[in-house]
């Protein structure tokens, strides 16, 4: 990995463990170290990306072409009760200098039963190199 590279990092796939559906209204990467810049977020279909793109370098032959795919982040993503979503979120990161540490913690804003919630999950990506 080198300065100037742009990477897509997948956040955990949204899952409803309860008997009620949830609506994801926003996501964010909580701890972003110096050397990484968040360029934005997107929500993409597992089918369109041919599975979960855990970490994908933009422009690589085998990386999904996110700009050409439908981005579902323009409205809340609905997750059925006791199910995982077919839509997942990614953060687009640019390496501006050698990162000082890993990027960590993913925050999900969601609604359930007419109430708003925020949940922080442990997730981590380490982008290091030249």
């Amino acid at each position: 990995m080198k300065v100037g590279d742009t990477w897509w990092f997948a956040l955990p796939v949204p899952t409803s463990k309860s008997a009620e559906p949830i609506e994801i209204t926003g996501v964010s990467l909580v701890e972003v170290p110096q050397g990484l810049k968040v360029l934005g977020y997107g929500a993409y279909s597992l089918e369109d990306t041919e599975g979960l793109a855990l970490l994908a370098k933009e422009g690589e032959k085998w990386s999904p072409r996110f700009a050409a795919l439908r981005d579902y982040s323009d409205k809340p993503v609905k997750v059925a009760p006791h199910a995982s979503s077919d839509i997942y979120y990614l953060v687009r990161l640019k390496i501006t200098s050698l990162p000082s540490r890993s990027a960590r913690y993913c925050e999900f804003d969601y609604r359930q039963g007419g109430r708003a919630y925020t949940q922080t999950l442990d997730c981590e990506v380490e982008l290091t190199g030249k």
Side-chain angles (χ1 to χ4, degrees):
M1 304 191 193
K2 62 183 183 194
V3 172
D5 285 350
T6 300
W7 291 82
W8 290 85
F9 169 59
L11 305 183
V13 175
T15 302
S16 174
K17 301 268 186 193
S18 75
E20 290 186 46
I22 61 173
E23 289 185 336
I24 309 294
T25 57
V27 298
S28 61
L29 189 58
V30 178
E31 291 184 8
V32 181
Q34 189 170 6
L36 291 179
K37 179 179 181 183
V38 172
L39 298 178
Y41 297 87
Y44 297 92
S45 161
L46 287 164
E47 184 177 327
D48 289 348
T49 59
E50 298 179 9
L52 184 65
L54 286 174
L55 186 61
K57 184 178 177 187
E58 195 166 271
E60 287 288 302
K61 180 179 180 179
W62 303 109
S63 293
R65 302 287 182 249
F66 293 106
L69 299 176
R70 164 84 164 91
D71 181 354
Y72 293 86
S73 64
D74 58 341
K75 55 185 162 185
V77 170
K78 296 179 182 182
V79 183
H82 303 293
S84 293
S85 177
D86 294 331
I87 305 298
Y88 69 106
Y89 291 87
L90 296 105
V91 57
R92 188 171 174 233
L93 299 166
K94 184 169 188 98
I95 299 176
T96 59
S97 65
L98 186 61
S100 56
R101 58 182 170 78
S102 299
R104 193 153 191 197
Y105 302 111
C106 306
E107 197 166 82
F108 285 79
D109 296 323
Y110 65 98
R111 285 191 304 255
Q112 184 178 37
R115 298 178 76 183
Y117 299 93
T118 298
Q119 184 173 11
T120 303
L121 302 175
D122 195 7
C123 68
E124 183 175 12
V125 63
E126 184 175 8
L127 297 171
T128 59
K130 35 186 167 172

